């Protein structure tokens, strides 16, 4: 059973739906986002093992999902520590990231 509840903001859901799954053996960016959500559920907002993980401000975090052109990133925030709630508020290209 997950330790943390992870939700996607309305905007992040829209961004997620615009991304595509690849038909190759290589994991798609959607697969990587799904894995990030599972890690957030299991381990909470501090995911130091993810590439370029960092603190964006008080209780706001980000990491790189895939390097290249474009580089994909995700941003999330700790909504409530006591009830263990996290919200992913951005998934997409590094160029459009809200930081």
């Amino acid at each position: 059973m997950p330790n943390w509840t992870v939700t996607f903001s309305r905007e992040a859901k829209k961004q997620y739906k615009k991304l595509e799954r690849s038909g190759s053996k290589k994991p798609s960016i959607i697969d990587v986002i799904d894995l990030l959500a599972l890690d957030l559920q299991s381990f909470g907002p501090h995911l130091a093992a993810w590439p370029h993980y960092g603190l964006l401000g008080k209780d706001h975090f980000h990491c790189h999902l895939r390097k290249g052109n474009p580089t994909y990133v995700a941003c999330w925030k700790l909504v409530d520590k006591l009830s263990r709630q996290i919200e992913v508020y951005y998934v997409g290209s590094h160029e459009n990231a809200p930081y």
Side-chain angles (χ1 to χ4, degrees), residues 19-77:
L19 300 171
E20 296 181 14
R21 291 193 187 273
S22 68
S24 70
K25 293 180 182 179
K26 182 178 175 182
S28 71
I29 191 62
I30 298 254
D31 295 330
V32 177
I33 294 167
D34 292 345
L35 182 60
L36 174 71
L38 288 173
D39 276 0
L40 288 169
Q41 286 177 345
S42 297
F43 305 112
H46 302 285
L47 298 178
W50 280 76
H52 297 278
Y53 161 81
L55 187 63
L56 294 176
K58 186 176 187 318
D59 297 330
H60 287 255
F61 311 88
H62 91 291
C63 73
H64 288 195
L65 301 170
R66 177 173 291 157
K67 64 182 179 180
N69 192 9
T71 296
Y72 289 98
V73 299
C75 300
W76 63 92
K77 65 183 177 181

Side-chain angles (χ1 to χ4, degrees), residues 78-97:
L78 176 60
V79 176
D80 187 337
K81 192 173 187 176
L82 290 177
S83 62
R84 301 172 78 103
Q85 295 180 11
I86 298 168
E87 179 184 66
V88 177
Y89 61 89
Y90 180 81
V91 291
S93 71
H94 184 268
E95 291 81 20
N96 299 325

